[in-house]
Coordinates of all heavy atoms in Angstrom, one line a residue:
M335 N 0.8 -1.2 0.0 CA 0.0 0.0 0.0 C 0.8 1.3 0.0 O 1.9 1.3 0.7 CB -0.9 -0.1 1.2 CG -1.8 1.2 1.4 SD -3.0 1.1 2.6 CE -4.2 0.0 1.9
K336 N 0.5 2.2 -0.8 CA 1.3 3.4 -0.8 C 1.2 4.2 0.5 O 0.1 4.1 1.2 CB 0.8 4.3 -2.0 CG 1.3 3.9 -3.2 CD 1.0 4.9 -4.3 CE 1.5 4.4 -5.7 NZ 2.6 5.1 -6.1
T337 N 2.2 5.0 0.8 CA 2.1 5.8 2.0 C 1.4 7.1 1.7 O 1.2 7.5 0.5 CB 3.4 6.1 2.5 OG1 4.2 6.9 1.6 CG2 4.3 4.9 2.8
L338 N 0.9 7.8 2.7 CA 0.3 9.1 2.5 C 1.2 10.1 1.8 O 0.9 10.8 1.0 CB -0.2 9.7 3.9 CG -0.9 11.0 3.8 CD1 -2.1 11.0 2.9 CD2 -1.2 11.5 5.2
S339 N 2.5 9.9 2.2 CA 3.6 10.8 1.6 C 3.6 10.5 0.1 O 3.8 11.5 -0.7 CB 4.9 10.5 2.3 OG 5.9 11.3 1.7
A340 N 3.6 9.2 -0.3 CA 3.8 8.9 -1.7 C 2.6 9.4 -2.5 O 2.7 9.9 -3.6 CB 3.9 7.3 -1.8
I341 N 1.4 9.3 -1.9 CA 0.2 9.8 -2.6 C 0.2 11.3 -2.7 O 0.0 11.8 -3.8 CB -1.1 9.3 -1.8 CG1 -1.3 7.8 -1.9 CG2 -2.3 10.0 -2.3 CD1 -2.3 7.2 -0.9
A342 N 0.6 11.9 -1.7 CA 0.8 13.4 -1.7 C 1.8 13.8 -2.7 O 1.5 14.8 -3.5 CB 1.1 13.9 -0.3
N343 N 2.9 13.2 -2.9 CA 3.9 13.5 -3.8 C 3.3 13.3 -5.2 O 3.7 14.1 -6.1 CB 5.2 12.6 -3.7 CG 6.0 13.0 -2.5 OD1 5.9 14.1 -2.0 ND2 6.8 12.0 -2.0
H344 N 2.6 12.3 -5.5 CA 2.1 12.1 -6.8 C 1.1 13.2 -7.1 O 1.0 13.7 -8.2 CB 1.4 10.6 -6.8 CG 1.0 10.3 -8.2 ND1 1.8 9.9 -9.2 CD2 -0.2 10.3 -8.8 CE1 1.1 9.7 -10.3 NE2 -0.1 9.9 -10.1
L345 N 0.2 13.5 -6.2 CA -0.8 14.6 -6.4 C 0.0 16.0 -6.7 O -0.4 16.7 -7.6 CB -1.7 14.7 -5.3 CG -2.7 13.5 -5.1 CD1 -3.4 13.7 -3.7 CD2 -3.6 13.4 -6.3
E346 N 1.0 16.2 -5.9 CA 1.8 17.4 -6.1 C 2.4 17.5 -7.4 O 2.5 18.5 -8.1 CB 2.8 17.6 -4.9 CG 3.7 18.8 -5.0 CD 2.9 20.1 -4.8 OE1 1.8 20.2 -4.6 OE2 3.6 21.2 -5.0
D347 N 3.1 16.4 -7.8 CA 3.7 16.3 -9.2 C 2.7 16.6 -10.2 O 3.0 17.4 -11.2 CB 4.3 14.9 -9.4 CG 5.6 14.7 -8.6 OD1 6.1 15.7 -7.9 OD2 5.9 13.5 -8.5
E348 N 1.5 16.0 -10.1 CA 0.5 16.3 -11.1 C 0.0 17.8 -11.1 O -0.3 18.3 -12.2 CB -0.7 15.3 -10.9 CG -1.7 15.3 -12.1 CD -1.1 14.7 -13.4 OE1 0.0 14.1 -13.4 OE2 -1.7 14.9 -14.4
R349 N -0.1 18.4 -10.0 CA -0.5 19.8 -9.8 C 0.5 20.6 -10.6 O 0.2 21.5 -11.4 CB -0.6 20.2 -8.4 CG -1.0 21.6 -8.3 CD -0.8 22.2 -6.9 NE 0.6 22.2 -6.5 CZ 1.4 23.2 -6.8 NH1 1.1 24.3 -7.5 NH2 2.7 23.2 -6.5
R350 N 1.8 20.3 -10.4 CA 2.9 21.1 -11.0 C 2.8 20.9 -12.5 O 3.0 21.8 -13.3 CB 4.2 20.7 -10.4 CG 4.5 21.2 -9.1 CD 5.9 20.8 -8.6 NE 6.1 21.3 -7.3 CZ 6.8 20.6 -6.4 NH1 7.4 19.5 -6.7 NH2 7.0 21.1 -5.2
R351 N 2.6 19.6 -13.0 CA 2.6 19.3 -14.4 C 1.5 20.1 -15.0 O 1.6 20.6 -16.2 CB 2.4 17.8 -14.6 CG 2.5 17.4 -16.1 CD 2.2 16.0 -16.3 NE 0.8 15.6 -16.1 CZ -0.2 16.0 -17.1 NH1 0.2 16.6 -18.2 NH2 -1.4 15.7 -16.9
L352 N 0.4 20.2 -14.4 CA -0.8 21.0 -14.9 C -0.7 22.5 -14.7 O -1.5 23.2 -15.2 CB -2.1 20.5 -14.3 CG -2.5 19.0 -14.6 CD1 -3.7 18.6 -13.7 CD2 -2.7 18.9 -16.1
M353 N 0.3 22.9 -14.1 CA 0.6 24.3 -13.8 C -0.4 25.0 -13.0 O -0.9 26.1 -13.4 CB 1.0 25.1 -15.1 CG 2.3 24.5 -15.7 SD 2.9 25.5 -17.1 CE 1.9 24.7 -18.4
L354 N -1.0 24.3 -12.1 CA -2.1 24.8 -11.2 C -1.5 25.3 -9.9 O -0.6 24.6 -9.4 CB -3.1 23.8 -10.9 CG -4.0 23.3 -12.0 CD1 -4.9 22.2 -11.5 CD2 -4.9 24.5 -12.4
D355 N -1.8 26.5 -9.5 CA -1.3 26.9 -8.2 C -2.3 26.4 -7.1 O -3.4 25.9 -7.4 CB -1.1 28.4 -8.1 CG -2.4 29.2 -8.4 OD1 -3.5 28.7 -8.3 OD2 -2.3 30.5 -8.6
Y356 N -2.0 26.6 -5.8 CA -2.8 26.1 -4.8 C -4.1 26.8 -4.7 O -5.2 26.2 -4.4 CB -2.1 26.2 -3.4 CG -0.9 25.3 -3.3 CD1 0.4 25.9 -3.1 CD2 -1.0 23.9 -3.3 CE1 1.5 25.1 -3.0 CE2 0.2 23.2 -3.3 CZ 1.4 23.7 -3.0 OH 2.5 22.9 -3.0
Q357 N -4.1 28.0 -5.0 CA -5.4 28.9 -5.0 C -6.4 28.3 -6.1 O -7.6 28.1 -5.8 CB -5.1 30.4 -5.4 CG -6.3 31.3 -5.4 CD -7.0 31.4 -4.1 OE1 -6.3 31.5 -3.0 NE2 -8.3 31.5 -4.1
A358 N -5.9 28.1 -7.2 CA -6.8 27.6 -8.4 C -7.4 26.2 -8.0 O -8.5 26.0 -8.2 CB -6.1 27.5 -9.6
L359 N -6.5 25.3 -7.4 CA -7.0 24.0 -7.0 C -7.9 24.1 -5.9 O -8.9 23.4 -5.8 CB -5.7 23.1 -6.7 CG -6.0 21.6 -6.5 CD1 -6.8 21.0 -7.7 CD2 -4.8 20.9 -6.3
A360 N -7.7 25.0 -4.9 CA -8.6 25.2 -3.8 C -10.0 25.6 -4.3 O -10.9 25.2 -3.8 CB -8.0 26.3 -2.9
E361 N -10.0 26.6 -5.3 CA -11.3 27.1 -5.7 C -12.0 26.0 -6.4 O -13.2 25.9 -6.3 CB -11.0 28.2 -6.8 CG -10.5 29.5 -6.1 CD -10.2 30.6 -7.0 OE1 -10.2 30.4 -8.3 OE2 -9.6 31.6 -6.5
R362 N -11.4 25.1 -7.2 CA -12.1 24.0 -7.8 C -12.6 22.9 -6.9 O -13.5 22.2 -7.3 CB -11.0 23.4 -8.8 CG -10.7 24.3 -10.0 CD -9.7 23.5 -10.8 NE -9.3 24.3 -12.1 CZ -8.7 23.8 -13.1 NH1 -8.3 22.5 -13.1 NH2 -8.4 24.6 -14.1
T363 N -11.9 22.8 -5.7 CA -12.3 21.7 -4.8 C -13.1 22.2 -3.7 O -13.6 21.4 -2.8 CB -11.0 21.1 -4.2 OG1 -10.2 22.0 -3.6 CG2 -10.3 20.3 -5.3
G364 N -13.3 23.5 -3.5 CA -14.0 24.1 -2.3 C -13.1 24.0 -1.0 O -13.7 24.3 0.1
L365 N -11.9 23.9 -1.1 CA -10.9 24.0 0.0 C -10.2 25.2 0.1 O -10.3 26.0 -0.8 CB -9.9 22.7 -0.1 CG -10.5 21.4 -0.1 CD1 -9.4 20.3 -0.6 CD2 -11.1 20.9 1.2
T366 N -9.5 25.5 1.2 CA -8.7 26.6 1.3 C -7.3 26.3 0.7 O -6.9 25.2 0.6 CB -8.5 27.1 2.7 OG1 -7.7 26.1 3.4 CG2 -9.8 27.3 3.4
P367 N -6.7 27.3 0.2 CA -5.3 27.1 -0.4 C -4.4 26.4 0.7 O -3.6 25.6 0.2 CB -4.8 28.5 -0.8 CG -6.1 29.3 -1.0 CD -7.1 28.7 0.0
L368 N -4.5 26.8 1.9 CA -3.6 26.3 2.9 C -3.9 24.8 3.1 O -3.0 24.0 3.2 CB -3.8 27.0 4.3 CG -3.0 26.5 5.4 CD1 -1.4 26.6 5.1 CD2 -3.3 27.2 6.7
S369 N -5.2 24.4 3.0 CA -5.5 23.0 3.2 C -5.0 22.2 2.0 O -4.4 21.1 2.2 CB -7.1 22.8 3.2 OG -7.5 23.4 4.4
V370 N -5.1 22.7 0.8 CA -4.6 22.0 -0.4 C -3.1 21.9 -0.3 O -2.6 20.8 -0.5 CB -5.0 22.8 -1.7 CG1 -4.2 22.2 -2.9 CG2 -6.5 22.7 -1.8
R371 N -2.4 22.9 0.1 CA -0.9 22.8 0.2 C -0.5 21.9 1.3 O 0.3 21.0 1.0 CB -0.4 24.2 0.5 CG 1.2 24.2 0.5 CD 1.8 25.5 0.7 NE 1.6 25.9 2.1 CZ 1.3 27.2 2.5 NH1 1.3 28.2 1.6 NH2 1.1 27.5 3.7
N372 N -1.2 21.8 2.4 CA -0.8 20.9 3.5 C -1.1 19.4 3.1 O -0.3 18.6 3.4 CB -1.6 21.2 4.8 CG -1.1 22.4 5.5 OD1 0.1 22.8 5.3 ND2 -1.9 23.0 6.3
I373 N -2.2 19.2 2.3 CA -2.4 17.9 1.8 C -1.4 17.5 0.8 O -0.9 16.3 1.0 CB -3.9 17.8 1.3 CG1 -4.9 18.0 2.4 CG2 -4.1 16.5 0.5 CD1 -6.3 18.2 1.9
L374 N -1.1 18.3 -0.1 CA -0.2 17.9 -1.2 C 1.3 17.9 -0.7 O 2.1 17.3 -1.5 CB -0.3 18.9 -2.4 CG -1.7 18.9 -3.1 CD1 -1.7 19.7 -4.3 CD2 -2.2 17.5 -3.4
Q375 N 1.6 18.4 0.4 CA 2.9 18.3 1.0 C 3.0 17.3 2.0 O 3.9 17.1 2.7 CB 3.3 19.7 1.5 CG 3.6 20.7 0.4 CD 4.0 22.1 0.9 OE1 4.0 22.4 2.0 NE2 4.3 22.9 -0.1
G376 N 1.9 16.5 2.2 CA 1.9 15.4 3.1 C 1.8 15.8 4.6 O 2.1 14.9 5.5
R377 N 1.4 17.0 4.9 CA 1.4 17.4 6.3 C 0.1 17.1 7.0 O 0.0 17.1 8.2 CB 1.6 19.0 6.3 CG 3.0 19.4 5.9 CD 3.1 20.9 6.0 NE 4.3 21.4 5.4 CZ 4.5 22.5 4.9 NH1 3.5 23.5 4.9 NH2 5.7 22.9 4.4
T378 N -1.0 16.9 6.2 CA -2.3 16.7 6.7 C -2.8 15.4 6.0 O -2.6 15.2 4.9 CB -3.2 17.8 6.3 OG1 -2.7 19.1 6.8 CG2 -4.6 17.6 6.8
A379 N -3.4 14.5 6.9 CA -4.1 13.3 6.3 C -5.5 13.7 6.0 O -6.4 14.0 6.8 CB -4.2 12.2 7.4
P380 N -5.8 13.8 4.7 CA -7.1 14.2 4.2 C -8.2 13.1 4.4 O -7.9 11.9 4.4 CB -7.0 14.6 2.8 CG -5.9 13.6 2.3 CD -5.0 13.5 3.5
R381 N -9.5 13.5 4.4 CA -10.5 12.6 4.3 C -10.6 12.0 2.9 O -10.0 12.6 1.9 CB -11.9 13.3 4.5 CG -12.1 13.7 5.9 CD -13.5 14.4 6.0 NE -13.7 14.8 7.4 CZ -14.8 15.4 7.8 NH1 -15.7 15.7 7.0 NH2 -14.9 15.7 9.1
V382 N -11.0 10.8 2.7 CA -11.1 10.2 1.4 C -11.8 11.0 0.4 O -11.4 11.2 -0.7 CB -11.7 8.7 1.5 CG1 -11.9 8.2 0.2 CG2 -10.8 7.8 2.4
T383 N -13.0 11.6 0.9 CA -13.7 12.4 0.0 C -12.9 13.7 -0.6 O -13.1 14.1 -1.7 CB -15.1 12.9 0.5 OG1 -14.8 13.5 1.8 CG2 -16.0 11.7 0.7
T384 N -12.1 14.2 0.3 CA -11.3 15.4 -0.1 C -10.2 14.9 -1.0 O -9.9 15.5 -2.0 CB -10.6 16.0 1.2 OG1 -11.6 16.3 2.2 CG2 -9.7 17.1 0.9
L385 N -9.6 13.8 -0.7 CA -8.6 13.2 -1.7 C -9.2 12.9 -3.0 O -8.6 13.2 -4.0 CB -8.0 11.9 -1.0 CG -6.8 11.4 -1.6 CD1 -5.6 12.3 -1.6 CD2 -6.4 10.1 -0.8
M386 N -10.4 12.4 -3.0 CA -11.1 12.2 -4.3 C -11.3 13.5 -5.0 O -11.2 13.5 -6.3 CB -12.4 11.4 -4.0 CG -12.2 10.0 -3.5 SD -13.8 9.2 -2.9 CE -14.8 9.3 -4.4
A387 N -11.7 14.5 -4.4 CA -12.0 15.8 -5.0 C -10.8 16.3 -5.6 O -10.8 16.8 -6.7 CB -12.6 16.8 -4.0
I388 N -9.6 16.3 -4.9 CA -8.3 16.8 -5.4 C -7.9 16.0 -6.6 O -7.6 16.5 -7.6 CB -7.3 16.8 -4.3 CG1 -7.6 17.9 -3.3 CG2 -5.9 17.1 -4.9 CD1 -6.8 17.9 -2.0
A389 N -7.9 14.7 -6.4 CA -7.5 13.8 -7.5 C -8.4 14.0 -8.8 O -7.9 14.1 -9.9 CB -7.7 12.4 -7.2
D390 N -9.7 14.2 -8.6 CA -10.6 14.5 -9.8 C -10.2 15.8 -10.5 O -10.1 15.8 -11.7 CB -12.0 14.6 -9.2 CG -13.0 14.8 -10.4 OD1 -13.1 14.0 -11.3 OD2 -13.6 15.9 -10.4
Q391 N -9.9 16.8 -9.8 CA -9.5 18.1 -10.3 C -8.2 18.0 -11.1 O -7.9 18.8 -11.9 CB -9.5 19.2 -9.3 CG -10.9 19.5 -8.9 CD -11.9 19.8 -10.0 OE1 -11.5 20.7 -10.9 NE2 -13.1 19.2 -10.1
L392 N -7.4 17.0 -10.7 CA -6.1 16.8 -11.3 C -6.1 15.8 -12.5 O -5.1 15.4 -13.0 CB -5.0 16.4 -10.3 CG -4.7 17.5 -9.3 CD1 -3.8 16.8 -8.1 CD2 -4.1 18.7 -9.8
G393 N -7.3 15.3 -12.7 CA -7.5 14.3 -13.8 C -7.0 12.9 -13.4 O -6.7 12.1 -14.2
L394 N -7.1 12.6 -12.1 CA -6.7 11.3 -11.6 C -7.9 10.7 -10.9 O -8.9 11.3 -10.6 CB -5.6 11.5 -10.5 CG -4.4 12.2 -11.0 CD1 -3.4 12.5 -9.8 CD2 -3.6 11.3 -12.1
E395 N -7.8 9.3 -10.8 CA -8.9 8.5 -10.2 C -8.3 7.7 -9.1 O -7.2 7.1 -9.3 CB -9.5 7.7 -11.3 CG -10.7 6.9 -10.8 CD -11.9 7.8 -10.6 OE1 -12.1 8.7 -11.4 OE2 -12.7 7.6 -9.6
L396 N -8.9 7.7 -7.9 CA -8.4 6.8 -6.9 C -9.1 5.4 -7.1 O -10.2 5.3 -7.4 CB -8.9 7.3 -5.5 CG -8.4 8.6 -5.0 CD1 -9.0 9.0 -3.7 CD2 -6.9 8.5 -4.9
L397 N -8.2 4.4 -7.0 CA -8.7 3.1 -7.2 C -8.3 2.1 -6.0 O -7.2 2.3 -5.5 CB -8.0 2.4 -8.4 CG -8.2 3.1 -9.8 CD1 -7.4 2.4 -10.8 CD2 -9.7 2.9 -10.1
L398 N -9.2 1.2 -5.7 CA -8.8 0.2 -4.7 C -8.7 -1.1 -5.4 O -9.6 -1.5 -6.2 CB -10.0 0.1 -3.7 CG -10.2 1.3 -2.8 CD1 -11.4 1.2 -1.9 CD2 -9.0 1.6 -2.0
L399 N -7.5 -1.7 -5.3 CA -7.3 -2.9 -6.0 C -7.0 -4.0 -5.0 O -6.5 -3.8 -3.9 CB -6.0 -2.7 -6.8 CG -5.9 -1.7 -7.9 CD1 -4.6 -1.5 -8.5 CD2 -6.9 -2.0 -9.0
P400 N -7.3 -5.2 -5.5 CA -6.8 -6.4 -4.6 C -5.3 -6.4 -4.5 O -4.6 -6.0 -5.4 CB -7.3 -7.6 -5.4 CG -8.4 -7.1 -6.3 CD -8.0 -5.7 -6.6
K401 N -4.9 -6.7 -3.3 CA -3.4 -6.7 -3.1 C -2.6 -7.4 -4.1 O -1.5 -7.0 -4.6 CB -3.1 -7.2 -1.7 CG -3.4 -6.2 -0.6 CD -2.9 -6.7 0.7 CE -3.3 -5.7 1.8 NZ -2.8 -6.0 3.1
V402 N -3.2 -8.6 -4.6 CA -2.4 -9.3 -5.6 C -2.2 -8.5 -6.9 O -1.1 -8.6 -7.5 CB -3.0 -10.7 -5.8 CG1 -4.4 -10.6 -6.6 CG2 -2.1 -11.6 -6.7
V403 N -3.2 -7.8 -7.3 CA -3.1 -6.9 -8.5 C -2.1 -5.8 -8.2 O -1.2 -5.5 -9.1 CB -4.5 -6.4 -8.9 CG1 -4.4 -5.4 -10.1 CG2 -5.4 -7.6 -9.3
A404 N -2.3 -5.1 -7.1 CA -1.3 -4.1 -6.8 C 0.1 -4.6 -6.7 O 1.0 -3.9 -7.3 CB -1.8 -3.4 -5.5
T405 N 0.3 -5.6 -6.1 CA 1.7 -6.2 -6.0 C 2.2 -6.5 -7.4 O 3.3 -6.3 -7.7 CB 1.7 -7.5 -5.2 OG1 1.2 -7.1 -3.8 CG2 3.1 -8.1 -5.1
G406 N 1.4 -7.1 -8.2 CA 1.8 -7.5 -9.6 C 2.0 -6.2 -10.4 O 3.0 -6.2 -11.2
L407 N 1.4 -5.2 -10.3 CA 1.6 -3.9 -11.0 C 2.9 -3.4 -10.6 O 3.6 -2.8 -11.4 CB 0.4 -2.9 -10.7 CG -0.8 -3.2 -11.4 CD1 -1.9 -2.3 -11.0 CD2 -0.8 -3.3 -12.9
Q408 N 3.3 -3.5 -9.4 CA 4.6 -2.9 -8.9 C 5.8 -3.8 -9.3 O 6.8 -3.3 -9.5 CB 4.6 -2.7 -7.3 CG 3.5 -1.8 -6.9 CD 3.4 -1.8 -5.3 OE1 4.0 -2.6 -4.7 NE2 2.5 -0.9 -4.8
A409 N 5.5 -5.1 -9.3 CA 6.7 -6.0 -9.6 C 7.0 -6.2 -11.0 O 8.1 -6.8 -11.2 CB 6.4 -7.4 -8.9
H410 N 6.2 -5.8 -11.9 CA 6.4 -6.1 -13.3 C 6.5 -4.9 -14.2 O 5.9 -3.9 -13.8 CB 5.4 -7.1 -13.8 CG 5.3 -8.3 -13.1 ND1 6.2 -9.4 -13.2 CD2 4.5 -8.8 -12.1 CE1 6.0 -10.4 -12.4 NE2 4.9 -10.0 -11.7
S411 N 7.2 -5.0 -15.3 CA 7.3 -3.9 -16.2 C 6.9 -4.4 -17.6 O 6.6 -5.5 -17.8 CB 8.7 -3.4 -16.3 OG 9.6 -4.4 -16.9
V412 N 6.8 -3.5 -18.5 CA 6.4 -3.8 -20.0 C 7.4 -4.8 -20.5 O 7.1 -5.8 -21.2 CB 6.4 -2.6 -20.8 CG1 6.1 -3.0 -22.2 CG2 5.3 -1.7 -20.2
E413 N 8.7 -4.7 -20.2 CA 9.7 -5.6 -20.7 C 9.7 -6.9 -20.0 O 10.1 -7.9 -20.7 CB 11.2 -5.0 -20.5 CG 11.4 -3.7 -21.3 CD 10.8 -2.5 -20.7 OE1 10.7 -2.4 -19.4 OE2 10.5 -1.5 -21.4
E414 N 9.3 -7.0 -18.8 CA 9.2 -8.2 -18.1 C 7.7 -8.5 -17.8 O 7.2 -8.0 -16.8 CB 10.0 -8.1 -16.8 CG 10.0 -9.4 -15.9 CD 10.7 -9.1 -14.5 OE1 11.7 -8.4 -14.6 OE2 10.2 -9.7 -13.5
P415 N 7.0 -9.3 -18.7 CA 5.6 -9.5 -18.6 C 5.2 -10.1 -17.2 O 5.9 -10.8 -16.6 CB 5.3 -10.4 -19.6 CG 6.4 -10.3 -20.6 CD 7.6 -10.0 -19.7
A416 N 4.0 -9.7 -16.8 CA 3.4 -10.2 -15.6 C 2.8 -11.6 -15.8 O 2.6 -12.0 -17.0 CB 2.3 -9.3 -15.1
P417 N 2.5 -12.3 -14.7 CA 1.8 -13.5 -14.8 C 0.5 -13.3 -15.7 O 0.0 -12.2 -15.7 CB 1.4 -13.9 -13.4 CG 2.4 -13.2 -12.6 CD 2.7 -11.9 -13.3
P418 N -0.1 -14.3 -16.4 CA -1.2 -14.1 -17.2 C -2.4 -13.4 -16.6 O -3.0 -12.6 -17.2 CB -1.7 -15.5 -17.6 CG -0.4 -16.3 -17.4 CD 0.4 -15.7 -16.4
A419 N -2.7 -13.6 -15.3 CA -3.7 -13.0 -14.6 C -3.6 -11.4 -14.6 O -4.5 -10.7 -14.5 CB -3.9 -13.5 -13.2
L420 N -2.3 -11.0 -14.5 CA -2.1 -9.6 -14.4 C -1.6 -8.9 -15.7 O -1.6 -7.7 -15.7 CB -1.0 -9.4 -13.3 CG -1.3 -9.8 -11.9 CD1 -0.1 -9.6 -11.0 CD2 -2.5 -9.1 -11.4
S421 N -1.4 -9.7 -16.7 CA -0.8 -9.2 -17.9 C -1.7 -8.1 -18.6 O -1.2 -7.1 -19.1 CB -0.4 -10.2 -18.9 OG -1.6 -11.0 -19.3
R422 N -3.0 -8.4 -18.6 CA -3.9 -7.4 -19.2 C -3.9 -6.1 -18.4 O -3.9 -5.0 -19.0 CB -5.3 -7.9 -19.3 CG -6.3 -7.0 -19.9 CD -7.6 -7.8 -20.3 NE -8.5 -6.8 -21.1 CZ -9.6 -6.2 -20.6 NH1 -9.9 -6.5 -19.4 NH2 -10.2 -5.4 -21.3
V423 N -4.0 -6.2 -17.1 CA -3.9 -5.0 -16.3 C -2.6 -4.2 -16.4 O -2.6 -3.0 -16.6 CB -4.1 -5.4 -14.8 CG1 -3.9 -4.1 -13.9 CG2 -5.5 -6.0 -14.6
D424 N -1.5 -4.9 -16.5 CA -0.2 -4.3 -16.7 C -0.2 -3.6 -18.0 O 0.4 -2.5 -18.2 CB 0.9 -5.4 -16.7 CG 1.4 -5.7 -15.3 OD1 1.0 -4.9 -14.3 OD2 2.0 -6.7 -15.1
R425 N -0.7 -4.2 -19.0 CA -0.7 -3.7 -20.4 C -1.5 -2.4 -20.4 O -1.1 -1.4 -21.0 CB -1.2 -4.6 -21.5 CG -1.0 -4.2 -22.9 CD -1.4 -5.2 -23.9 NE -2.9 -5.6 -23.8 CZ -3.3 -6.8 -23.3 NH1 -2.4 -7.7 -22.9 NH2 -4.6 -7.0 -23.2
I426 N -2.7 -2.4 -19.8 CA -3.5 -1.2 -19.8 C -2.8 -0.1 -19.1 O -2.8 1.1 -19.5 CB -4.9 -1.5 -19.2 CG1 -5.7 -2.4 -20.1 CG2 -5.7 -0.3 -18.9 CD1 -6.9 -3.0 -19.5
V427 N -2.2 -0.4 -17.9 CA -1.5 0.7 -17.2 C -0.3 1.2 -17.9 O -0.1 2.4 -18.0 CB -1.1 0.1 -15.8 CG1 -0.2 1.1 -15.1 CG2 -2.3 -0.2 -14.9
A428 N 0.5 0.3 -18.5 CA 1.6 0.7 -19.3 C 1.2 1.6 -20.4 O 1.8 2.7 -20.7 CB 2.4 -0.4 -19.8
E429 N 0.2 1.2 -21.2 CA -0.3 2.0 -22.4 C -0.8 3.3 -21.9 O -0.6 4.4 -22.6 CB -1.4 1.2 -23.1 CG -0.8 0.1 -23.9 CD -1.9 -0.8 -24.5 OE1 -3.1 -0.5 -24.3 OE2 -1.5 -1.8 -25.2
T430 N -1.6 3.4 -20.9 CA -2.1 4.6 -20.4 C -1.0 5.6 -19.9 O -1.0 6.7 -20.2 CB -3.1 4.4 -19.2 OG1 -4.1 3.5 -19.6 CG2 -3.7 5.6 -18.7
S431 N 0.0 5.0 -19.3 CA 1.1 5.9 -18.8 C 1.9 6.4 -20.0 O 2.2 7.6 -20.0 CB 2.1 5.0 -18.0 OG 1.5 4.6 -16.8
Q432 N 2.0 5.6 -21.0 CA 2.8 6.0 -22.2 C 1.9 7.1 -23.0 O 2.5 8.1 -23.5 CB 3.1 4.9 -23.1 CG 4.1 3.9 -22.5 CD 4.2 2.7 -23.3 OE1 3.5 2.3 -24.1 NE2 5.3 1.9 -22.9
L433 N 0.6 6.9 -23.0 CA -0.2 7.9 -23.7 C -0.2 9.3 -23.0 O -0.2 10.3 -23.6 CB -1.6 7.3 -23.9 CG -1.8 6.2 -24.9 CD1 -3.3 5.6 -24.8 CD2 -1.5 6.7 -26.3
A434 N -0.2 9.1 -21.7 CA -0.2 10.3 -20.9 C 1.1 11.1 -21.1 O 1.1 12.3 -21.2 CB -0.5 10.1 -19.4
A435 N 2.2 10.3 -21.1 CA 3.5 11.0 -21.3 C 3.6 11.6 -22.6 O 4.2 12.7 -22.8 CB 4.6 10.0 -21.1
A436 N 3.1 11.0 -23.6 CA 3.1 11.5 -25.0 C 2.2 12.9 -25.1 O 2.6 13.8 -25.7 CB 2.5 10.5 -26.0
A437 N 1.1 12.8 -24.4 CA 0.2 14.0 -24.4 C 0.8 15.1 -23.6 O 0.7 16.3 -24.0 CB -1.1 13.6 -23.7
A438 N 1.7 14.8 -22.7 CA 2.3 15.8 -21.9 C 3.7 16.3 -22.6 O 4.4 17.1 -22.0 CB 2.7 15.3 -20.5
G439 N 3.9 15.8 -23.8 CA 5.1 16.2 -24.5 C 6.3 15.2 -24.3 O 7.4 15.5 -24.7
G440 N 6.1 14.1 -23.5 CA 7.2 13.2 -23.3 C 7.4 12.4 -24.6 O 6.7 12.4 -25.5
K441 N 8.5 11.6 -24.5 CA 8.8 10.6 -25.6 C 7.8 9.5 -25.6 O 7.4 8.9 -24.6 CB 10.1 10.1 -25.5 CG 11.2 11.0 -25.7 CD 12.6 10.4 -25.6 CE 13.7 11.4 -25.9 NZ 15.0 10.7 -25.8
K442 N 7.3 9.1 -26.8 CA 6.4 7.9 -26.9 C 7.4 6.7 -27.0 O 8.3 6.7 -27.8 CB 5.6 8.1 -28.1 CG 4.5 7.0 -28.3 CD 3.6 7.3 -29.4 CE 2.5 6.4 -29.5 NZ 1.6 6.6 -30.5
T443 N 7.1 5.7 -26.2 CA 7.9 4.5 -26.2 C 7.4 3.4 -27.0 O 6.2 3.4 -27.5 CB 8.1 4.0 -24.8 OG1 6.9 3.7 -24.2 CG2 8.9 5.1 -23.9
K444 N 8.2 2.5 -27.4 CA 7.7 1.3 -28.2 C 6.7 0.6 -27.5 O 6.5 0.5 -26.3 CB 8.9 0.3 -28.4 CG 9.9 0.9 -29.3 CD 11.0 -0.2 -29.6 CE 12.0 0.4 -30.6 NZ 13.0 -0.6 -30.8
G445 N 5.8 -0.1 -28.3 CA 4.7 -0.9 -27.7 C 3.4 -0.3 -27.7 O 2.4 -0.9 -27.3
V446 N 3.3 1.0 -28.1 CA 2.0 1.6 -28.1 C 1.6 1.9 -29.5 O 2.3 2.3 -30.3 CB 2.0 3.0 -27.2 CG1 0.7 3.6 -27.3 CG2 2.3 2.6 -25.8

């Protein structure tokens, strides 16, 4: 399971990528800029609904996965295929990540 710090870092990275300041994100979520900053810097443990609202405004979705799927997603890469039960999930995640990187101006990698 990811730590609160890891989740906050991911949200903060996405906020920066989208070039949103704390004020703009606060207005979109109905929170104060201070609350948004504290959450994205891992200083405050937000309610799940607050986390969902922030993620939504950043174009992200919170997912709950069975541990076996989450472990499989972490343990395998595109070059090293996952076991058959996880290969479809891995492929979807890899393709989505590559498409997002391409949309953000990153390099498009092989396989997509």
